[in-house]
């Protein structure tokens, strides 16, 4: 489809050319034009931005300003894989709440269950019959026998770190450079020019994290071996593939080495599958292996209702019970009053029981294959040194020829000006990508026509950006 849209003759002409580079002035010109178009097309959203004085910087939460638009699109409603703004624009939604609505906006079973629960109470601080069923459903889906519920994945990761330190008697944790595991202080350590530093974006941090957080590059087996052989790491907290600094795939054999090294050194392996649940039914570790000791899932597990879970092996459960028995009664520092509230339990029960199914994944993966194939065709046709990275239903368009092997390489190839200009161009034509590094999610209700529109408009954007080179002014 993409090559046909461009024209077979033009593609043939390019076959003898080297890779094209996009002129910076072309990017700037497109950005300026698309900003004006966005402002003109979204007067109601603009008006809302101007009068939202009650919110700090005009939004209920600061991340709503991270979209590369002059002001946020104000949402009115969303259904399935589309979102409608207060300006009446209907968007094909490939952001899906940055994974929170990865299985579609307001699926009917979830909406029905939430409405019923709303009339029966929302938070009891007591278990429910649905909760009993949910625990068994989680065990069946993810292959771990014991579970706990929190309000967010950030809270789950924070709790897991505390459990791991208590179980092992070790203070240190290990994370990978460029990782993101939510608003957990312990993980905000980066490598800059090979040196570990406290991440400067962590607002108000008063205590250095370097004594208790070890950071190494993803896929670096030698560094991992050295770090774990010291015997003082409580846990490795990792995504099976990195998704928050672009997408960094695991090198062949790396996760197997990670699993074996953790076993050999008594280190607990924690996999945060909040994003990589897109890989397949049961998440990446169940689809591709290896299995963790503890698994964290948030966001999509409740279809957008704030909730998260962490599951663990029977051995970890025994060790956690021993920790509980050894401590005095009172505050554990783990969990909040709203953890495992009835609304969250009901939402997850509906999602796992009727929405997050094997059939849903089959559709997601099939449509994703269509998207990836067409994106690759457009990149090839335009002779760009780019690539498409994807695992399961998560896709990244990366402005470099070589897939990055670690966080430093991923950070180095980011082109914010170019990525944001493409994002804005697509938004102006009714297509939403995730606001960060042109990530796309495919849901069980995403249609082939939506994928085709996305790729066609991307092709149009690239055609415009490359007009300077194609007219003979190539640099």
């Amino acid at each position: 489809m993409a090559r046909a849209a461009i024209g077979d003759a033009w593609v043939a002409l390019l076959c003898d050319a080297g890779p094209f580079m996009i002129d910076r002035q072309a990017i700037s010109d497109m950005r300026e034009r698309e900003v004006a178009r966005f402002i003109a097309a979204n007067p109601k959203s603009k008006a809302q931005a101007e009068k939202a004085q009650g919110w700090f910087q005009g939004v209920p939460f600061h991340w709503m300003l991270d979209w590369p638009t002059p002001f946020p699109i104000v949402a009115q409603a969303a259904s399935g894989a589309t979102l409608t703004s207060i300006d009446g624009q209907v968007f094909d939604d490939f952001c899906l709440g940055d994974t929170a609505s990865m299985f579609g906006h307001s699926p009917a079973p979830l909406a029905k269950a939430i409405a019923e629960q709303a009339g029966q109470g929302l938070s009891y601080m007591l278990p429910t019959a649905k909760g009993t069923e949910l625990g068994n459903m989680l065990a069946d889906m993810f292959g771990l026998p014991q579970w706990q519920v929190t309000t967010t994945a950030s809270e789950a990761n924070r709790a897991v770190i505390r459990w791991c330190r208590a179980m092992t008697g070790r203070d240190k944790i290990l994370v990978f450079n460029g990782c993101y595991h939510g608003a957990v202080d312990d993980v905000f350590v980066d490598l800059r020019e090979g040196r570990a530093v406290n991440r400067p974006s962590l607002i108000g941090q008063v205590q250095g994290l370097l004594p208790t957080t070890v950071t190494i590059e993803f896929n670096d087996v030698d560094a991992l071996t050295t770090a774990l052989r010291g015997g003082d790491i409580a846990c490795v907290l990792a995504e099976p593939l990195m998704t928050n600094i672009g997408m960094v795939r695991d090198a062949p054999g790396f996760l197997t080495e990670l699993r074996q090294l953790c076993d050999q050194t008594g280190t607990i392996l924690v996999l945060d599958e909040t994003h990589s649940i897109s890989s397949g039914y049961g998440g990446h570790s169940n689809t591709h292996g290896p299995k963790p000791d503890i698994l964290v899932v948030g966001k999509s597990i409740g279809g957008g209702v704030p909730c998260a879970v962490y599951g663990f092996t029977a051995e970890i459960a025994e060790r956690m019970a021993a920790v509980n028995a050894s401590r005095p009664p009172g505050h554990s520092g783990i969990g909040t009053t709203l953890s495992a509230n009835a609304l969250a339990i009901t939402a997850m029960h509906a999602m796992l029981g009727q929405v997050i199914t094997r059939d849903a994944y089959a559709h997601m993966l099939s449509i994703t294959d269509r998207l990836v194939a067409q994106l690759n065709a457009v990149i090839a046709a335009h002779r760009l040194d780019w690539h498409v990275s994807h695992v399961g239903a998560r896709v990244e368009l990366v402005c470099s020829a070589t897939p990055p092997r670690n966080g430093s390489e991923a950070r180095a190839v980011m082109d914010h000006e170019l990525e944001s200009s493409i994002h804005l161009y697509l938004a102006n034509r009714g297509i939403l990508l995730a606001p960060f590094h042109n990530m796309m999610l495919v849901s069980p209700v995403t249609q082939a026509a939506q994928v085709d529109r996305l790729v066609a408009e991307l092709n149009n954007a690239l055609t415009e950006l490359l007009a300077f080179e194609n007219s003979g002014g190539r640099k």
Side-chain angles (χ1 to χ4, degrees), residues 375-455:
L375 289 173
N376 279 324
V378 168
I379 290 171
H382 286 288
R383 303 294 293 177
L384 289 166
D385 267 343
W386 295 5
H387 74 276
V388 178
S389 183
H390 94 286
V391 174
R394 182 177 298 272
V395 180
E396 298 267 3
L397 183 64
V398 185
C399 301
S400 74
T402 304
R405 295 168 298 176
N406 55 50
S408 290
E409 291 184 5
R411 190 183 294 119
V413 301
M414 286 182 176
D415 189 332
H416 177 72
E417 184 184 14
L418 176 57
E419 292 168 0
S420 63
S421 295
I422 291 172
H423 188 289
L424 180 57
Y425 183 99
L426 294 176
N428 278 336
R429 288 149 185 85
I431 298 161
L432 285 183
L433 308 186
F436 314 108
H437 43 80
N438 287 343
M439 184 271 291
M440 293 152 270
L441 280 170
V442 174
S443 79
V445 289
T446 300
Q447 300 301 307
Q450 293 178 294
V451 165
D452 294 348
R453 279 194 294 272
L454 187 162
V455 177

Side-chain angles (χ1 to χ4, degrees), residues 255-270:
L255 294 179
T256 300
E257 289 278 357
L258 172 60
R259 175 69 276 178
Q260 292 174 350
L261 283 166
C262 284
D263 289 340
Q264 294 166 9
T265 59
T267 308
I268 297 171
L269 176 57
V270 182

Side-chain angles (χ1 to χ4, degrees), residues 325-402:
S326 68
R327 70 178 178 86
H331 305 293
S332 67
I334 292 173
T336 65
T337 303
L338 291 176
S339 296
N341 66 77
L343 181 64
I345 294 292
T346 294
M348 288 188 284
H349 184 275
M351 290 296 292
L352 266 66
Q354 302 176 70
V355 180
I356 306 177
T357 65
R358 294 185 185 277
D359 286 344
Y361 273 98
H363 175 85
M364 293 161 70
L365 299 181
S366 174
I367 293 293
T368 303
D369 287 343
R370 181 187 186 99
L371 173 60
V372 171
Q374 293 190 21
L375 289 173
N376 279 324
V378 168
I379 290 171
H382 286 288
R383 303 294 293 177
L384 289 166
D385 267 343
W386 295 5
H387 74 276
V388 178
S389 183
H390 94 286
V391 174
R394 182 177 298 272
V395 180
E396 298 267 3
L397 183 64
V398 185
C399 301
S400 74
T402 304

